[in-house]
Amino acid sequence: MKIVITGGLGYIGAHICTVLNQKGYKVILVDNLSNSFIKMYHQLIALLGEESIVFEKKDITQSDEIKELFQKHSDINGVIHLAALKSVNQSITQPLSYYQNNVGGLITLLSEIKSKNIPFIFSSSCTVYGQADQLPIKETSPFKSSFSPYGYTKQIGELIIKDIVKSNDSFKAMCLRYFNPIGAHPSAMIGEWPIGEPQNLVPLMTQVGIGKRKELKIFGDTYNTPDGTCIRDYIHVMDLAEAHVLGLEYLFSSNSNHYIYNVGLGKGVSVKEMIHRFEKIIEKPIRQKVSKIREGDVPVAYADASKIKTQLSWQPKYSIDDALLSAWKWEKQLHSHNDFQVS
Ligand code: NAD
Ligand code: UFG
């Protein structure tokens, strides 16, 4: 069976590719390389072999490119849609790019595949909940006013999908609301590798650990949490990848056509605790400084992940420490290869 992953050379897409490959699927990676390197494709081939992975450089906002893709590959069995811009903070200063890429891209893609009734998985985010009233957060928790345009693009995306499945019984879709994916493939051959400066806590922390960055800024320590720093639900990217494959297989055999699941470990961990855990793993201190809060940050978010565990039999295999160790191995790998520093 052939599966398209949009945003397939990005952080999460590349990891999903490894799980699909392991289960015998052929994978078509679609990416415009706006936040990834072609070297990621070469890494995937080195890891998995080239027989069952194809790369198509396409921009999902361009309908002619997307039409061409589905003409060339007319036998697609599923689409996992990850291609998006993802920085909460950047979306506040560049809202139009975010709406254009994330919402425009989704509409272009859906326009092409809806009539073909190809099962569809959408990368959503716990950001749709804003600051939830009740913790842990259940899927029934309402959408709140978002802290950022990025958050709105995910809310709008889910609403568009909801309307489409309502209008077409034969189109099956699943929204996965990720909490905070971290870590890297156990081989350390692929991992989080954004263009330019990373925005997320773990790659920034590993860069400080390896000496690429002087210190880690803690974005605020006066939140209403036990140590004053924000709380998140960090989940190993391989467990998240597994959830996509289980989700896809569930869609293939299911009778209903619309599903929504949280994907998180269900453990709330503060920024300071993450740093502390990482320091223990690498056995050295991380230089850190408390700085001002980052606009768009939700103080506390962690999942009630019981629905996906029960319905899809998803069971996370990795702990947060496993994830941090794998992120560290990946950082060391990046550091040791000069040709990995390309931009
Ligand atoms: P990423 O930036 O590493 O990967 C996204 C990929 O999409 C990149 O390779 C980029 O080049 C590509 N892309 C962007 N716009 C495109 C376009 N118009 N056409 C084709 N390709 C395009 O990000 P990621 O961390 O792998 O995130 C994947 C998805 O998961 C995104 O939708 C993101 O919003 C969502 N998500 C991520 C997180 C997280 O913490 N990483 C959390 C919640 C949700
Ligand atoms: N943080 C710091 N210093 C840093 C980077 C992050 O203190 O240098 C803190 C943030 O304030 C936050 C936590 O570490 O409290 C995690 O931040 P990340 O940037 O790693 O993750 P976010 O929770 O902000 O955002 C991520 C994804 C989004 C997604 C969101 C869902 O980047 O795509 O999770 O909550 F929507």
Side-chain angles (χ1 to χ4, degrees), residues 4 29 69 77 182 200 214 259 267 328:
V4 162
L29 302 164
L69 175 80
N77 302 96
I182 59 167
N200 297 105
K214 211 174 74 200
Y259 299 90
K267 290 195 184 88
W328 180 235

Side-chain angles (χ1 to χ4, degrees), residues 272-297:
K272 281 191 178 159
E273 195 182 335
M274 284 297 276
I275 300 171
H276 184 61
R277 280 167 179 262
F278 185 61
E279 287 175 329
K280 272 173 92 177
I281 287 169
I282 67 169
E283 296 176 333
K284 60 179 172 183
I286 288 291
R287 267 187 79 168
Q288 52 196 275
K289 181 175 105 185
V290 176
S291 87
K292 61 181 191 330
I293 66 159
R294 183 173 66 174
E295 205 183 339
D297 272 348

Side-chain angles (χ1 to χ4, degrees), residues 11-12 31-32 34-36 59-60 82 86 101 150 154:
Y11 171 44
I12 299 168
D31 208 297
N32 67 352
S34 59
N35 196 34
S36 48
D59 187 326
I60 54 139
L82 297 107
K86 66 162 181 176
N101 201 65
Y150 168 78
K154 294 297 177 188

